[in-house]
Amino acid sequence: MSQSIDTLILADWVIPVQPEDTVLHNYGVAIDKGRIIAVEHHDELTNRFDATHLRRLKGHALIPGLINAHTHSAMNLLRGFADDLPLMTWLEQHIWPAEAKHVSEEFVEDGTRLAIAEMLRSGTTCFNDMYFYPQIAARVATDTGIRANIGMVVIDFPTAWANNADEYIHKGLAAFDNFKHQDGIRFSFAPHAPYTVSDAPLKKIATYSQELDLGIHIHLHETAFEVEQAVKEKGQRPIQRLNDLGLLSPSLQTVHMTQLNDDDIRLVSDNGVHVIHCPQSNMKLASGICPTAKLLEADVNLAIGTDGSASNNDLDMLGELQSAALLAKVGAMDASAMPAFTALKAATLNGAKALGIDEDCGSIEVGKCADLCAIDLDRIETQPLFDPVSQIVYSATREQVTHVWVNGKLQLDNRQLTSIDEEQLLDKVKHWQKTITQTQ
């Protein structure tokens, strides 16, 4: 007698990510109560299960939901606002002044919803956020059904969100307390960068991180200027300063890391620090190239993020993992650096490891949450097909993402969002475009 379950997905290929380099042909996934209960051949699944929802996805590959390991979601409202500028000019003369004028609870709510809509349509099922008003981002993520790690931003100077580092920490912890029992929502400390956060709050964050078992998410070694200024002013490289302050540990997620020498890489590897690579943003801002081949050789967990749309200018993780694979090759001058599967793993399971959720997410395995992305490879752009992993990494685009499930719930159905009113959202975004334009 067949077992009744919620959902049965039958794809041409299932790419579980774990075990490595595995492609399962004519396989599918059985889902019940938000969890994967079987990964088997079509015939076995249809004999064993009677599903309320059956999806036969001919020509599709099923992969774990993509994990955007670093973004500033609300900054989607500043997409294209200040292009073709180096990082510090972009920040100090354009982004920070614009934020001072416009950032509010409403700005964060609408910008985060826009970002989530874009991410779901791109196959992303979890994102790691760093922005102001974290309680608003957490609420929008909960409302829309996406998984999220919400950063509690800490910075020394005042913004619309808080006046000083202690107030940022206090308000962030209050948001954490409000959502700490909410399924699918996690929190981490998010000190902006070593050059914007002083020693005292960084020490406090290190202590709180250990006491509360929370991650730390920070921009680090993003540009040569950042490192040179730190050496000039502090007498040491930023990563060494963080080490002296007690921040280097498996709880630390370091973003960008384009300026690394061998000693830096050794520190990262020895302390189990995660590196989050944002190739397109780094290229657009001319910040440098993260030495991903050396990091992988040192057994560092390498994840991938998009950064915010103000510096990318999209949240397309398929495009990002393709850029990561290609940039690794030219950065190392080695065509074998970061093969296609390694890039896919960085955008899925490695992202889950960085966020501390790899027991539940990041691969298609029995017992894990059903966070899944279906990609239609039966298109002109991805034919002929010799290797589905290669086609996903080097040829497919986000327009080929047709279905997305988060925790077993269908969030994208044949390219249509199920939990977000697209027309209403676009009306709000046009309002913000007009408002921001008028106050430039």
Side-chain angles (χ1 to χ4, degrees):
M1 188 173 177
S2 298
Q3 177 183 343
S4 295
I5 62 170
D6 295 332
T7 302
L8 188 59
I9 308 168
L10 305 177
D12 277 12
W13 302 274
V14 171
I15 303 167
V17 174
Q18 185 87 334
E20 295 198 4
D21 292 314
T22 298
V23 177
L24 305 171
H25 185 51
N26 286 333
Y27 264 59
V29 174
I31 303 167
D32 199 47
K33 297 179 177 62
R35 297 270 174 175
I36 297 169
I37 62 170
V39 182
E40 296 175 0
H41 193 274
H42 290 181
D43 294 341
E44 294 170 333
L45 291 174
T46 53
N47 286 334
R48 285 184 59 190
F49 300 108
D50 180 19
T52 303
H53 305 286
L54 173 63
R55 297 280 174 174
R56 294 183 181 272
L57 301 178
K58 186 179 184 302
H60 283 67
L62 196 65
I63 65 171
L66 299 167
I67 295 176
N68 187 345
H70 175 69
T71 191
H72 311 279
S73 60
M75 293 183 78
N76 257 42
L77 292 179
L78 295 173
R79 189 198 318 263
F81 174 76
D83 285 334
D84 307 321
L85 298 167
L87 175 65
M88 297 314 297
T89 303
W90 177 79
L91 275 176
E92 295 174 348
Q93 298 181 26
H94 299 274
I95 295 302
W96 286 343
E99 288 178 327
K101 292 178 183 176
H102 300 293
V103 170
S104 63
E105 290 191 3
E106 184 183 8
F107 179 95
V108 172
E109 179 169 358
D110 293 342
T112 301
R113 197 175 302 273
L114 176 64
I116 290 171
E118 179 181 358
M119 286 189 281
L120 287 171
R121 283 167 55 88
S122 307
T124 293
T125 56
C126 177
F127 69 103
N128 190 22
D129 203 28
M130 179 192 278
Y131 209 63
F132 310 109
Y133 296 97
Q135 78 282 10
I136 302 298
R139 177 166 57 78
V140 176
T142 300
D143 291 346
T144 54
I146 197 170
R147 197 177 301 279
N149 187 85
I150 304 296
M152 299 178 286
V153 170
V154 180
I155 199 166
D156 281 348
F157 55 79
T159 66
W161 167 234
N163 290 309
N164 54 56
D166 283 341
E167 188 178 356
Y168 285 103
I169 292 172
H170 175 74
K171 285 187 168 183
L173 287 173
F176 163 67
D177 283 338
N178 288 335
F179 285 90
K180 63 184 177 183
H181 299 301
Q182 178 66 50
D183 288 343
I185 303 295
R186 291 169 62 93
F187 276 74
S188 64
F189 290 100
H192 172 261
Y195 58 87
T196 54
V197 186
S198 50
D199 285 1
L202 286 173
K203 286 180 181 179
K204 189 174 290 188
I205 287 168
T207 300
Y208 279 141
S209 171
Q210 292 179 355
E211 291 177 351
L212 299 172
D213 192 26
L214 294 176
I216 302 172
H217 178 195
I218 187 169
H219 299 110
L220 186 65
H221 284 227
E222 185 173 0
T223 65
F225 176 78
E226 172 197 340
V227 177
E228 290 164 3
Q229 284 296 106
V231 172
K232 182 179 178 181
E233 295 173 5
K234 303 282 187 180
Q236 59 185 169
R237 295 168 71 82
I239 195 168
Q240 183 61 58
R241 175 178 162 226
L242 294 191
N243 186 49
D244 291 349
L245 293 172
L247 272 78
L248 298 197
S249 78
S251 296
L252 184 63
Q253 309 149 19
T254 58
V255 185
H256 298 302
M257 300 288 268
T258 68
Q259 310 295 318
L260 298 178
N261 60 30
D262 290 344
D263 290 336
D264 299 332
I265 292 173
R266 194 174 301 111
L267 267 179
V268 169
S269 180
D270 289 348
N271 288 281
V273 172
H274 308 277
V275 173
I276 299 170
H277 180 34
C278 302
Q280 291 189 4
S281 176
N282 291 341
M283 287 190 286
K284 185 167 184 283
L285 294 169
S287 298
I289 299 175
C290 178
T292 52
K294 287 187 175 182
L295 289 167
L296 291 168
E297 186 178 350
D299 201 28
V300 172
N301 183 55
L302 181 75
I304 294 176
T306 59
D307 210 352
S309 279
S311 63
N312 183 305
N313 293 11
D314 60 43
L315 304 181
D316 177 6
M317 279 293 290
L318 281 178
E320 207 71 37
L321 68 92
Q322 182 189 80
S323 293
L326 298 178
L327 192 59
K329 300 174 191 306
V330 73
M333 292 305 293
D334 177 2
S336 66
M338 197 179 290
F341 177 83
T342 302
L344 181 60
K345 185 179 178 184
T348 53
L349 186 57
N350 289 4
K353 287 179 180 177
L355 302 185
I357 58 174
D358 50 305
E359 289 189 3
D360 286 323
C361 305
S363 59
I364 302 177
E365 298 181 76
V366 172
K368 286 197 172 185
C369 297
D371 292 6
L372 303 166
C373 167
I375 303 173
D376 184 2
L377 298 178
D378 197 16
R379 302 275 187 93
I380 291 292
E381 292 80 7
T382 42
Q383 290 291 321
L385 191 148
F386 302 105
D387 177 354
V389 176
S390 174
Q391 298 296 66
I392 289 168
V393 174
Y394 294 123
S395 303
T397 65
R398 60 180 170 179
E399 287 76 20
Q400 290 170 254
V401 173
T402 60
H403 297 77
V404 172
W405 292 262
V406 182
N407 222 29
K409 182 179 178 182
L410 187 62
Q411 295 290 350
L412 186 71
D413 184 4
N414 199 26
R415 296 290 299 156
Q416 297 300 308
L417 293 166
T418 65
S419 60
I420 296 175
D421 186 324
E422 294 184 41
E423 186 175 341
Q424 183 182 70
L425 176 60
L426 287 171
D427 284 343
K428 289 186 176 183
V429 171
K430 288 173 183 175
H431 160 74
W432 280 109
Q433 177 187 352
K434 183 177 180 181
T435 298
I436 293 168
T437 300
Q438 288 175 343
T439 56
Q440 274 186 263

